[in-house]
Amino acid sequence: MSEDLTTQSTQETVTPPAAPRTGLLHSGFGRNLGLVVALLLLCIVGVVTAGDTFATGANVLTILRLAAVIGVVSVGMTFVITGGGIDLSVGAMVALASVWATTLATQQLAADVHWLVMVTTALLVGAACGLVNGLLVAYGKIVPFIATLAMLAAARGLAEIISDRKTQIITVNGFVDFFGGSLIGVPVLVWIFLLVAAAGWVVLNRTTFGRRTFAVGGNAEAARLAGIKVQRHTVALYVLAGLCCGIAAVMLMARTTTGSSTHGQLYELDAIAAVVIGGTLLSGGRGTIVGTVIGVLIFTTLNNVFTLNNLSISAQSVAKGAIIVIAVLLQQRLARRATGS
């Protein structure tokens, strides 16, 4: 009799866990739809305030061209943040890669062999910097914030030493002609951004590497117990981010026809902002390439609207900061609602 009463009491007091929210706002499609609406509203503001100057094909291509470089960096940042890390050194890596790829020796070799030498150099430098970041974080057990902050200072300083703080002009015409050209009316730089974003989406959403990235970012210890080599995967994520910085350096070199230690200033802020507003959780475990791309377009369009209306860079920075805070607050609110708390 006592056992029956105990069983009945237990059945009455135990309640099943709350089911996760599955509404439109909590789905990836809903979040991306909200970003698209925000982008459209921003475009309407641009048309109203800047008129025909904003709503031209040339200005649209300008926005896309400007978004391309930081967009490639943001794709790499999406992987790192989704995996539970962060990279503050992306701008410095872009600068170092651009300087190393435009030294007199590198350009002379490119002139004698092929301009792909410059591209390869930039990619290798970016990947090498990412490898150092990954090793420090994964095996050195250094907090990602500190490890990448150290790389930020070291890479920027090395770029200044190599270039002697001078802007290096690109003299290899084949390089400039290829990356500065257009394909069916769309700049090559925009095509590169689209290809990188598409490849990033496939890797993150349709491969084992992507599933492991979500697992590591969600719970590294659980991922380790599931058989995932967490340390090796973490290194791979930072190498991937460095490789994206190398690609971005090539694109920036083509756009400016220079290599400089000042390239990539505040790229870490822009990339993190685009990733966060796109819907990737800063705590890791959830990431979206589509959201990141839309986030990049939102910030680039915002900068364009401010520029066309002769507003200061300081005002742009204030607006960016406000958008970041709002995005994080919305993330936290949606996360609490999703868990039913």
mmCIF file of all heavy atoms in Angstrom, residues 43-70:
data_model
loop_
_atom_site.group_PDB
_atom_site.id
_atom_site.type_symbol
_atom_site.label_atom_id
_atom_site.label_comp_id
_atom_site.label_asym_id
_atom_site.label_seq_id
_atom_site.Cartn_x
_atom_site.Cartn_y
_atom_site.Cartn_z
ATOM 1 N N CYS A 43 17.085 50.228 -46.805
ATOM 2 C CA CYS A 43 17.125 50.690 -48.201
ATOM 3 C C CYS A 43 16.077 51.776 -48.441
ATOM 4 O O CYS A 43 16.325 52.745 -49.177
ATOM 5 C CB CYS A 43 16.897 49.516 -49.147
ATOM 6 S SG CYS A 43 18.255 48.332 -49.201
ATOM 7 N N ILE A 44 14.904 51.616 -47.830
ATOM 8 C CA ILE A 44 13.872 52.639 -47.967
ATOM 9 C C ILE A 44 14.343 53.960 -47.371
ATOM 10 O O ILE A 44 14.140 55.041 -47.948
ATOM 11 C CB ILE A 44 12.570 52.165 -47.292
ATOM 12 C CG1 ILE A 44 11.977 50.977 -48.059
ATOM 13 C CG2 ILE A 44 11.559 53.314 -47.216
ATOM 14 C CD1 ILE A 44 10.767 50.354 -47.388
ATOM 15 N N VAL A 45 15.012 53.874 -46.215
ATOM 16 C CA VAL A 45 15.573 55.079 -45.604
ATOM 17 C C VAL A 45 16.597 55.718 -46.540
ATOM 18 O O VAL A 45 16.628 56.945 -46.697
ATOM 19 C CB VAL A 45 16.229 54.743 -44.245
ATOM 20 C CG1 VAL A 45 16.998 55.952 -43.702
ATOM 21 C CG2 VAL A 45 15.178 54.303 -43.249
ATOM 22 N N GLY A 46 17.397 54.881 -47.186
ATOM 23 C CA GLY A 46 18.393 55.400 -48.124
ATOM 24 C C GLY A 46 17.755 56.118 -49.298
ATOM 25 O O GLY A 46 18.222 57.184 -49.717
ATOM 26 N N VAL A 47 16.680 55.542 -49.826
ATOM 27 C CA VAL A 47 15.990 56.162 -50.962
ATOM 28 C C VAL A 47 15.350 57.482 -50.539
ATOM 29 O O VAL A 47 15.400 58.484 -51.262
ATOM 30 C CB VAL A 47 14.923 55.199 -51.524
ATOM 31 C CG1 VAL A 47 14.070 55.909 -52.564
ATOM 32 C CG2 VAL A 47 15.584 53.974 -52.131
ATOM 33 N N VAL A 48 14.757 57.494 -49.344
ATOM 34 C CA VAL A 48 14.075 58.706 -48.874
ATOM 35 C C VAL A 48 15.072 59.822 -48.592
ATOM 36 O O VAL A 48 14.843 60.988 -48.929
ATOM 37 C CB VAL A 48 13.241 58.399 -47.615
ATOM 38 C CG1 VAL A 48 12.702 59.680 -46.996
ATOM 39 C CG2 VAL A 48 12.096 57.454 -47.964
ATOM 40 N N THR A 49 16.197 59.493 -47.965
ATOM 41 C CA THR A 49 17.144 60.524 -47.533
ATOM 42 C C THR A 49 18.149 60.914 -48.606
ATOM 43 O O THR A 49 18.579 62.067 -48.676
ATOM 44 C CB THR A 49 17.915 60.056 -46.289
ATOM 45 O OG1 THR A 49 18.619 58.823 -46.600
ATOM 46 C CG2 THR A 49 16.965 59.833 -45.129
ATOM 47 N N ALA A 50 18.529 59.939 -49.453
ATOM 48 C CA ALA A 50 19.553 60.227 -50.460
ATOM 49 C C ALA A 50 18.994 60.252 -51.874
ATOM 50 O O ALA A 50 19.717 60.605 -52.816
ATOM 51 C CB ALA A 50 20.693 59.207 -50.376
ATOM 52 N N GLY A 51 17.749 59.844 -52.042
ATOM 53 C CA GLY A 51 17.106 59.934 -53.347
ATOM 54 C C GLY A 51 17.755 59.075 -54.416
ATOM 55 O O GLY A 51 18.153 57.928 -54.177
ATOM 56 N N ASP A 52 17.855 59.658 -55.611
ATOM 57 C CA ASP A 52 18.376 58.925 -56.764
ATOM 58 C C ASP A 52 19.841 58.526 -56.591
ATOM 59 O O ASP A 52 20.309 57.595 -57.243
ATOM 60 C CB ASP A 52 18.222 59.772 -58.031
ATOM 61 C CG ASP A 52 16.759 60.027 -58.375
ATOM 62 O OD1 ASP A 52 15.922 59.220 -57.926
ATOM 63 O OD2 ASP A 52 16.469 61.018 -59.070
ATOM 64 N N THR A 53 20.562 59.202 -55.733
ATOM 65 C CA THR A 53 21.967 58.859 -55.520
ATOM 66 C C THR A 53 22.107 57.466 -54.932
ATOM 67 O O THR A 53 23.033 56.722 -55.265
ATOM 68 C CB THR A 53 22.635 59.876 -54.576
ATOM 69 O OG1 THR A 53 22.438 61.192 -55.084
ATOM 70 C CG2 THR A 53 24.127 59.608 -54.450
ATOM 71 N N PHE A 54 21.174 57.091 -54.072
ATOM 72 C CA PHE A 54 21.222 55.762 -53.449
ATOM 73 C C PHE A 54 20.680 54.697 -54.383
ATOM 74 O O PHE A 54 21.267 53.624 -54.523
ATOM 75 C CB PHE A 54 20.421 55.770 -52.147
ATOM 76 C CG PHE A 54 20.384 54.442 -51.450
ATOM 77 C CD1 PHE A 54 21.410 54.068 -50.597
ATOM 78 C CD2 PHE A 54 19.324 53.563 -51.654
ATOM 79 C CE1 PHE A 54 21.387 52.830 -49.961
ATOM 80 C CE2 PHE A 54 19.287 52.334 -51.020
ATOM 81 C CZ PHE A 54 20.322 51.965 -50.166
ATOM 82 N N ALA A 55 19.553 54.978 -55.014
ATOM 83 C CA ALA A 55 18.857 53.975 -55.818
ATOM 84 C C ALA A 55 19.394 53.923 -57.240
ATOM 85 O O ALA A 55 18.663 54.138 -58.212
ATOM 86 C CB ALA A 55 17.362 54.267 -55.815
ATOM 87 N N THR A 56 20.686 53.638 -57.379
ATOM 88 C CA THR A 56 21.295 53.478 -58.696
ATOM 89 C C THR A 56 22.057 52.158 -58.744
ATOM 90 O O THR A 56 22.520 51.651 -57.709
ATOM 91 C CB THR A 56 22.271 54.626 -59.003
ATOM 92 O OG1 THR A 56 23.338 54.630 -58.043
ATOM 93 C CG2 THR A 56 21.547 55.972 -58.966
ATOM 94 N N GLY A 57 22.178 51.625 -59.936
ATOM 95 C CA GLY A 57 22.925 50.382 -60.098
ATOM 96 C C GLY A 57 24.373 50.525 -59.674
ATOM 97 O O GLY A 57 24.955 49.612 -59.081
ATOM 98 N N ALA A 58 24.955 51.674 -59.973
ATOM 99 C CA ALA A 58 26.352 51.906 -59.607
ATOM 100 C C ALA A 58 26.534 51.889 -58.101
ATOM 101 O O ALA A 58 27.517 51.343 -57.579
ATOM 102 C CB ALA A 58 26.832 53.233 -60.183
ATOM 103 N N ASN A 59 25.584 52.467 -57.369
ATOM 104 C CA ASN A 59 25.695 52.490 -55.905
ATOM 105 C C ASN A 59 25.493 51.100 -55.321
ATOM 106 O O ASN A 59 26.145 50.737 -54.326
ATOM 107 C CB ASN A 59 24.672 53.458 -55.320
ATOM 108 C CG ASN A 59 24.872 53.694 -53.839
ATOM 109 O OD1 ASN A 59 25.952 54.084 -53.403
ATOM 110 N ND2 ASN A 59 23.839 53.441 -53.053
ATOM 111 N N VAL A 60 24.591 50.322 -55.913
ATOM 112 C CA VAL A 60 24.392 48.945 -55.454
ATOM 113 C C VAL A 60 25.680 48.142 -55.619
ATOM 114 O O VAL A 60 26.095 47.394 -54.712
ATOM 115 C CB VAL A 60 23.239 48.277 -56.219
ATOM 116 C CG1 VAL A 60 23.171 46.782 -55.892
ATOM 117 C CG2 VAL A 60 21.918 48.943 -55.879
ATOM 118 N N LEU A 61 26.338 48.294 -56.759
ATOM 119 C CA LEU A 61 27.606 47.595 -56.983
ATOM 120 C C LEU A 61 28.679 48.085 -56.014
ATOM 121 O O LEU A 61 29.528 47.301 -55.558
ATOM 122 C CB LEU A 61 28.071 47.783 -58.424
ATOM 123 C CG LEU A 61 27.244 47.073 -59.496
ATOM 124 C CD1 LEU A 61 27.799 47.371 -60.883
ATOM 125 C CD2 LEU A 61 27.234 45.557 -59.254
ATOM 126 N N THR A 62 28.639 49.377 -55.693
ATOM 127 C CA THR A 62 29.590 49.914 -54.714
ATOM 128 C C THR A 62 29.384 49.261 -53.356
ATOM 129 O O THR A 62 30.356 48.874 -52.681
ATOM 130 C CB THR A 62 29.415 51.441 -54.587
ATOM 131 O OG1 THR A 62 29.721 52.053 -55.838
ATOM 132 C CG2 THR A 62 30.346 51.995 -53.518
ATOM 133 N N ILE A 63 28.123 49.119 -52.933
ATOM 134 C CA ILE A 63 27.813 48.483 -51.649
ATOM 135 C C ILE A 63 28.301 47.034 -51.649
ATOM 136 O O ILE A 63 28.931 46.568 -50.689
ATOM 137 C CB ILE A 63 26.304 48.544 -51.366
ATOM 138 C CG1 ILE A 63 25.869 49.997 -51.118
ATOM 139 C CG2 ILE A 63 25.935 47.679 -50.168
ATOM 140 C CD1 ILE A 63 24.372 50.170 -50.969
ATOM 141 N N LEU A 64 28.024 46.316 -52.737
ATOM 142 C CA LEU A 64 28.438 44.915 -52.819
ATOM 143 C C LEU A 64 29.960 44.783 -52.820
ATOM 144 O O LEU A 64 30.513 43.871 -52.189
ATOM 145 C CB LEU A 64 27.851 44.277 -54.075
ATOM 146 C CG LEU A 64 26.330 44.115 -54.100
ATOM 147 C CD1 LEU A 64 25.876 43.537 -55.438
ATOM 148 C CD2 LEU A 64 25.871 43.210 -52.958
ATOM 149 N N ARG A 65 30.629 45.699 -53.521
ATOM 150 C CA ARG A 65 32.095 45.644 -53.577
ATOM 151 C C ARG A 65 32.701 45.899 -52.203
ATOM 152 O O ARG A 65 33.667 45.241 -51.799
ATOM 153 C CB ARG A 65 32.614 46.663 -54.595
ATOM 154 C CG ARG A 65 34.102 46.496 -54.931
ATOM 155 C CD ARG A 65 34.573 47.554 -55.903
ATOM 156 N NE ARG A 65 33.930 47.422 -57.203
ATOM 157 C CZ ARG A 65 33.018 48.265 -57.668
ATOM 158 N NH1 ARG A 65 32.617 49.303 -56.940
ATOM 159 N NH2 ARG A 65 32.495 48.095 -58.854
ATOM 160 N N LEU A 66 32.128 46.843 -51.475
ATOM 161 C CA LEU A 66 32.625 47.137 -50.135
ATOM 162 C C LEU A 66 32.295 46.010 -49.162
ATOM 163 O O LEU A 66 33.062 45.733 -48.229
ATOM 164 C CB LEU A 66 32.021 48.452 -49.630
ATOM 165 C CG LEU A 66 32.462 49.725 -50.362
ATOM 166 C CD1 LEU A 66 31.680 50.933 -49.850
ATOM 167 C CD2 LEU A 66 33.958 49.954 -50.194
ATOM 168 N N ALA A 67 31.149 45.370 -49.371
ATOM 169 C CA ALA A 67 30.748 44.276 -48.480
ATOM 170 C C ALA A 67 31.553 43.011 -48.718
ATOM 171 O O ALA A 67 31.651 42.165 -47.814
ATOM 172 C CB ALA A 67 29.256 43.983 -48.674
ATOM 173 N N ALA A 68 32.132 42.868 -49.899
ATOM 174 C CA ALA A 68 32.781 41.614 -50.271
ATOM 175 C C ALA A 68 33.940 41.271 -49.343
ATOM 176 O O ALA A 68 34.058 40.141 -48.856
ATOM 177 C CB ALA A 68 33.255 41.685 -51.721
ATOM 178 N N VAL A 69 34.823 42.234 -49.078
ATOM 179 C CA VAL A 69 36.029 41.954 -48.300
ATOM 180 C C VAL A 69 35.680 41.581 -46.866
ATOM 181 O O VAL A 69 36.085 40.524 -46.362
ATOM 182 C CB VAL A 69 36.991 43.165 -48.320
ATOM 183 C CG1 VAL A 69 38.219 42.874 -47.465
ATOM 184 C CG2 VAL A 69 37.417 43.481 -49.745
ATOM 185 N N ILE A 70 34.928 42.438 -46.194
ATOM 186 C CA ILE A 70 34.567 42.143 -44.808
ATOM 187 C C ILE A 70 33.640 40.939 -44.749
ATOM 188 O O ILE A 70 33.589 40.214 -43.736
ATOM 189 C CB ILE A 70 33.916 43.376 -44.138
ATOM 190 C CG1 ILE A 70 33.763 43.153 -42.626
ATOM 191 C CG2 ILE A 70 32.584 43.707 -44.785
ATOM 192 C CD1 ILE A 70 35.044 42.928 -41.904
#
